[in-house]
Amino acid sequence: MGKKIVIQPVTRIEGHAKVTIHLDDAGNVDTARVNVIELRGFEKFCMGRPVEDLPRITPRICGVCPWSHHLASAKATDAVFGVEPPPAGKKLRELCNSVAYMEEHILHFYFLAGADFLLGPAADYSVRNVMGVLQAAPEVARRVVRVRHMCAKMLEILAGKPIHPQAAVPGGFSKPLMPAERDQLRKMADEALELAKFSIAFAKENVFPKYLDVVKSLGVITTGFLGTVSDTGALNLYDGKLRLMAPDGKFEDFAYDKYTDFISEHIESWSYLKFPYAKNWGSFSMDPEKPGGIYRTNTLARINVCDHINTPLAQKELEEFRQKFGRPAQLTLLYHWARLIELLYNAENAIRLLDDPQITSTETRVKVTPRAARGVGCVEAPRGTLLHDYTTDANGMVTNVNLIVGTTHNNAPINMSVTQAAKSLIHDGKYDQGILNTVEMSIRAYDPCFSCATHRLDGKLGVRLDILDAEGRLLESLTN
Amino acid sequence: MPVRLAEEWFAICGGCEVTILDIGEPLLDVLEKVTIVHMPVLMDHKLYGQTGEGTEMEIPEAEVGMISGGIRSEEHRKLAQEMRKKCKTLIALGSCACYGGIPALANLYTTEEILNKVFRESVTTETNGLPNVDIPALTDRVYAVSEVVKVDVSLPGCPTTPEMVAGALTALLEGKPFPLPSKSVCDDCPTIREKKAASTLKRRLEPPEFTPGQPLNQMRCLMEQGFLCLGPATRTGCGGSDGTPRCIRAYMPCEGCFGPLSEKANPMVDMMGALSTIGLDPKQISDRAATFNRFAGAGRLRPIPRR
């Protein structure tokens, strides 16, 4: 028997994960599989609660993207009550979404993934982190810390509470925006836009060219993509229709409340995390040569599925990106590039909304009345399409809940990328911490949120790894 | 000599870790006095050695340890014990670590009920059986960290506040104690109270009465307007340096995220009293146990008998 390598925990991601790689006698990777084995139970304990409490409870699925859950939940309650929020209510929600996106994309690029690029994948682990970035590029680091914090302050002005917010309610938004607050936010948005512009220029000059070989080889797989677009096909992160794009670029659009006609969730006996797949593309398979039903979500997916972007600077970046990498772009590390295009879009979009005179209207919310109904809410979370699906009884008490979150869609692709990365990097039993960190980089590109993914029971991503021989027989099971 | 800091997270959402970043630029000054030796969210120290050859989970020694999240699996329990062993001072960070938090709402159900829901009763899921290979040992319920190991400092809140984290770290660096406020959220709430409800209890399906743009001290107490507010039974502190409770700033009632007034307090009893005092009938609330103990389910919530 060969040897096993355990990377535990996977670090600089949100939540817990472990990767175990099994080497054969010759020291080459046999099979590596990332399995999720724990659950948290939100779908269960949301049942029996008054449905208006769900926009307050479900953000606790994730403290990094609480706004995504908050807004998907509020939209699901709108649908349950059969109401449409007033224009200012919707615009305030979308504004919060864009500000939250900026905060999260800055966090991921600079605080979590950035160290791999700024210090190098093989830098010692004691400096390969945000503290190391701070030493290596103090000016940039200070600016980034300030602007990320400023985005949190913007959310505080808009909603009182930046993490686990309360302001999106069934029928709208609880806190109108005052003109003086709007003026204050507008100045802050300008500073955020400057950082967004700087970030993509900096990365295009200093990061992506340097790592082009890695970008072209690490974790590369070919899949379809899922994301939200507006009626006219523009990138939209708060509302629109879902677009499912096949690997060849052909796509079909559908209303998000019809998601059950397009997405099914596969269960493997070895994982508590389900594997969503496009059920009309045939049966599920993670075979890299012949994947079945596999699609990806998150930044790269959205940049691939949209026809255009409605803000000028981001549109220009999209055109350049498409010219270089085509549509759909498949290289996994391009998630980072796509993330920076989205950072720019969100800064521009926040400014667009703040300049909209309707944003300071005091009509932000309508009254709702309980009824027996089912309602689906959907937003693009930073990590992918997020669906909240609630059913209530006549008193508006929750009788059923289904949640599909961004990282869960990427469960199969992450497994496939890790396998690809391990196989391409580890040969003849030779590996070191730099190589193992590079394997982890193929996970980090997806910016996975394993707290979201394991909302079902306890927020801890336990991972089990099965080692199979060439015939697919189970040789060994490893768990944490 | 910099102070060594270790951090672990258990049944978490990551919000308390983001709150640490929300200290903002002053955090950079704190970081200069601190060496982080273990913190999975920010740095790459591994539990089984950097290339995975270790056989036992190991966390380096540290002066200060922080744990976020409640305890749900035997591995969490082991890691909590390892943290206790290696850290001189142990901080429970956030309401999940202090009281179980939202994930402890799962204590209302048995694990079997949860598994059936997720794998057998979900609309999109192919029901080809429960995953049944090598399921990790879960604890029978969600536990607060202090139910498993001794905790020196508790920082409640969902999430806790940047001010509280910075204050506690500074106090520890200076060797001073960090006592929690003992007052309730109402004591820091600026709204007008007349000690008598102006309405019967109503659900949050309509906006409260307020004039946009006017300061909060011109608004009538939300509970007296008939909207259930956990303020009377909840420890204050969420307002940070501003002082005004966070949810009130959005014209929303308190949901109790800073936990009970004291370790021994019974929020159910406290809330029943607060409601009756102003003439409201607690029996109108259909979901009392989960509402009054929303963030304090570790040790306070248990499976509901099936009818």
Side-chain angles (χ1 to χ4, degrees):
Chain A
M1 277 289 296
K3 178 179 179 181
K4 72 179 175 194
I5 309 165
V6 183
I7 310 174
Q8 186 187 6
V10 177
T11 42
R12 289 184 283 126
I13 59 160
E14 218 272 292
H16 307 56
K18 168 174 125 172
V19 173
T20 311
I21 299 160
H22 196 268
L23 306 182
D24 60 21
D25 290 337
N28 296 315
V29 174
D30 190 2
T31 305
R33 214 186 241 165
V34 181
N35 308 36
V36 178
I37 51 173
E38 295 183 42
L39 298 167
R40 203 162 26 163
F42 272 83
E43 281 151 324
K44 183 68 188 177
F45 62 68
C46 284
M47 288 164 64
R49 312 280 87 79
V51 73
E52 69 270 22
D53 278 10
L54 264 49
R56 309 185 90 181
I57 291 174
T58 57
R60 272 69 184 211
I61 291 171
C62 178
V64 177
C65 62
W67 276 95
S68 303
H69 288 283
H70 188 49
L71 296 175
S73 185
K75 284 177 76 176
T77 63
D78 293 344
V80 160
F81 291 117
V83 296
E84 188 79 4
K90 281 196 206 171
K91 285 173 183 176
L92 285 168
R93 287 183 186 176
E94 186 181 354
L95 175 58
C96 289
N97 193 45
S98 268
V99 176
Y101 253 86
M102 289 195 280
E103 194 234 305
E104 291 164 49
H105 279 359
I106 293 171
L107 173 74
H108 185 262
F109 187 76
Y110 288 102
F111 289 64
L112 303 183
D116 292 325
F117 300 105
L118 297 169
L119 297 145
D124 190 79
Y125 83 92
S126 61
V127 296
R128 194 180 56 217
N129 49 49
V130 70
M131 285 70 76
V133 173
L134 194 59
Q135 298 285 325
E139 292 297 308
V140 176
R142 277 202 176 260
R143 181 174 177 191
V144 165
V145 167
R146 187 178 65 246
V147 176
R148 196 213 64 83
H149 185 221
M150 189 189 73
C151 291
K153 288 275 170 208
M154 291 174 80
L155 290 170
E156 205 173 316
I157 293 167
L158 283 160
K161 194 179 177 207
I163 304 172
H164 303 326
Q166 310 287 320
V169 290
F173 201 79
S174 71
K175 183 178 179 300
L177 183 66
M178 294 297 104
E181 293 170 327
R182 188 260 321 272
D183 296 347
Q184 194 187 354
L185 291 169
R186 185 64 173 74
K187 288 197 191 86
M188 296 161 108
D190 279 336
E191 192 178 345
L193 177 63
E194 287 309 309
L195 180 74
K197 285 171 15 191
F198 164 81
S199 299
I200 195 155
F202 176 82
K204 284 197 310 192
E205 198 182 320
N206 302 300
V207 177
F208 299 135
K210 203 166 142 194
Y211 290 97
L212 206 59
D213 286 349
V214 184
V215 171
K216 283 187 176 159
S217 61
L218 186 68
V220 176
I221 54 174
T222 300
T223 67
F225 294 96
L226 174 73
T228 302
V229 294
S230 74
D231 283 345
T232 59
L235 173 72
N236 198 307
L237 304 173
Y238 174 70
D239 203 18
K241 56 187 176 179
L242 289 178
R243 175 169 287 179
L244 186 59
M245 178 179 270
D248 63 6
K250 290 195 189 105
F251 56 78
E252 61 183 326
D253 296 348
F254 55 95
Y256 58 73
D257 60 2
K258 298 280 180 286
Y259 76 97
T260 52
D261 295 342
F262 295 85
I263 298 168
S264 198
E265 288 184 288
H266 178 78
I267 297 180
E268 291 282 355
S269 64
W270 42 266
S271 180
Y272 275 139
L273 188 57
K274 298 180 217 180
F275 296 80
Y277 70 102
K279 68 179 183 185
N280 303 329
W281 295 354
S283 58
F284 175 83
S285 167
M286 288 192 283
D287 179 353
E289 303 302 318
K290 248 173 101 182
I294 308 291
Y295 61 85
R296 289 187 271 182
T297 58
N298 195 322
T299 56
L300 182 62
R302 291 187 290 257
I303 290 300
N304 277 331
V305 300
C306 74
D307 298 323
H308 59 277
I309 298 178
N310 274 340
T311 61
L313 297 176
Q315 169 63 20
K316 209 163 146 266
E317 292 295 336
L318 176 69
E319 286 164 21
E320 186 187 325
F321 182 87
R322 267 199 188 149
Q323 208 170 24
K324 279 195 164 75
F325 305 108
R327 180 189 186 194
Q330 292 283 359
L331 302 176
T332 300
L333 288 204
L334 290 179
Y335 268 98
H336 294 299
W337 195 316
R339 195 164 288 121
L340 294 175
I341 298 176
E342 278 195 352
L343 174 60
L344 196 53
Y345 162 72
N346 280 297
E348 291 184 285
N349 195 44
I351 288 171
R352 180 185 69 80
L353 287 161
L354 284 164
D355 287 346
D356 185 330
Q358 252 180 351
I359 200 86
T360 49
S361 161
T362 52
E363 277 177 46
T364 58
R365 169 176 187 184
V366 293
K367 187 178 170 173
V368 297
T369 314
R371 60 172 190 169
R374 175 178 167 223
V376 179
C378 178
V379 297
E380 284 294 321
R383 293 156 190 89
T385 308
L386 172 63
L387 289 152
H388 281 222
D389 181 349
Y390 307 155
T391 308
T392 56
D393 64 15
N395 293 322
M397 302 302 275
V398 178
T399 56
N400 208 354
V401 174
N402 191 36
L403 307 168
I404 303 184
V405 307
T407 295
T408 309
H409 296 285
N410 277 342
N411 189 12
I414 290 173
N415 265 282
M416 291 166 67
S417 281
V418 165
T419 305
Q420 188 274 358
K423 285 195 169 179
S424 67
L425 289 163
I426 302 172
H427 302 287
D428 306 326
K430 292 193 190 103
Y431 63 94
D432 57 23
Q433 62 118 0
I435 284 177
L436 296 185
N437 182 52
T438 310
V439 173
E440 282 187 71
M441 281 170 67
S442 72
I443 302 176
R444 260 174 227 133
Y446 291 93
D447 182 17
C449 175
F450 289 118
S451 294
C452 277
T454 58
H455 59 272
R456 293 188 174 88
L457 193 66
D458 79 347
K460 162 101 167 80
L461 178 80
V463 177
R464 195 176 73 92
L465 184 105
D466 281 350
I467 296 143
L468 308 175
D469 66 13
E471 279 77 48
R473 284 175 304 220
L474 185 70
L475 295 178
E476 195 177 345
S477 276
L478 306 166
T479 61
N480 61 348
Chain B
M1 178 90 172
V3 169
R4 291 168 299 178
L5 177 77
E7 204 249 9
E8 255 300 339
W9 47 359
F10 298 154
I12 49 95
C13 74
C16 287
E17 283 73 19
V18 179
T19 299
I20 299 175
L21 299 178
D22 281 346
I23 294 172
E25 278 187 275
L27 177 66
L28 301 178
D29 305 323
V30 177
L31 283 179
E32 277 172 22
K33 295 179 200 145
V34 168
T35 301
I36 301 178
V37 293
H38 178 82
M39 187 172 190
V41 68
L42 279 187
M43 60 92 74
D44 296 343
H45 177 262
K46 306 293 181 189
L47 288 168
Y48 291 92
Q50 292 312 107
T51 46
E53 273 99 8
T55 51
E56 291 288 323
M57 285 191 294
E58 199 176 339
I59 289 168
E61 290 199 346
E63 278 74 34
V64 180
M66 293 199 283
I67 292 176
S68 67
I71 285 165
R72 180 75 220 212
S73 75
E74 292 304 328
E75 185 177 283
H76 296 157
R77 191 192 295 273
K78 256 170 82 180
L79 268 173
Q81 285 159 351
E82 171 72 0
M83 284 286 286
R84 179 69 273 181
K85 208 165 93 189
K86 298 295 178 67
C87 304
K88 282 201 185 102
T89 303
L90 194 59
I91 301 174
L93 182 67
S95 285
C96 293
C98 295
Y99 312 111
I102 289 281
L105 284 176
N107 288 356
L108 288 165
Y109 306 93
T110 63
T111 306
E112 191 191 357
E113 287 175 298
I114 289 167
L115 291 175
N116 280 338
K117 165 64 190 154
V118 173
F119 292 103
R120 294 198 165 120
E121 298 155 17
S122 162
V123 294
T124 34
T125 303
E126 299 164 357
T127 49
N128 53 355
L130 291 181
N132 53 6
V133 186
D134 287 346
I135 294 166
L138 298 179
T139 46
D140 58 334
R141 62 170 174 90
V142 175
Y143 289 84
V145 174
S146 65
E147 293 182 283
V148 172
V149 294
K150 181 176 169 281
V151 166
D152 303 300
V153 181
S154 293
L155 304 179
C158 185
T160 187
T161 67
E163 287 89 346
M164 207 163 240
V165 179
L169 284 178
T170 310
L172 284 175
L173 294 178
E174 291 168 359
K176 293 180 186 157
F178 187 75
L180 291 177
S182 55
K183 293 191 294 186
S184 78
V185 167
C186 295
D187 292 317
D188 281 329
C189 181
T191 59
I192 303 164
R193 278 195 296 276
E194 297 177 9
K195 300 202 166 104
K196 196 171 176 311
S199 158
T200 53
L201 271 176
K202 50 191 174 187
R203 284 165 62 182
R204 289 177 294 97
L205 304 174
E206 58 192 286
E209 280 181 32
F210 66 93
T211 310
Q214 277 200 355
L216 286 165
N217 63 15
Q218 305 290 305
M219 181 175 80
R220 181 80 181 266
C221 161
L222 292 177
M223 189 118 98
E224 293 185 359
Q225 291 195 42
F227 298 100
L228 180 70
C229 178
L230 271 281
T234 303
R235 195 193 293 273
T236 191
C238 68
S241 48
D242 176 275
T244 308
R246 296 186 285 201
C247 292
I248 291 289
R249 291 181 208 161
Y251 308 102
M252 293 291 282
C254 169
E255 56 172 349
C257 87
F258 256 64
L261 290 166
S262 72
E263 294 297 323
K264 298 247 156 30
N266 184 335
M268 179 81 90
V269 172
D270 290 345
M271 279 309 300
M272 296 285 209
L275 285 160
S276 312
T277 308
I278 59 168
L280 294 173
D281 179 9
K283 290 206 186 70
Q284 274 186 271
I285 302 157
S286 55
D287 188 29
R288 284 191 295 274
T291 302
F292 295 153
N293 295 293
R294 182 140 300 175
F295 294 84
R300 286 186 173 91
L301 290 175
R302 52 186 56 85
I304 314 157
R306 295 291 97 131
R307 265 161 274 171

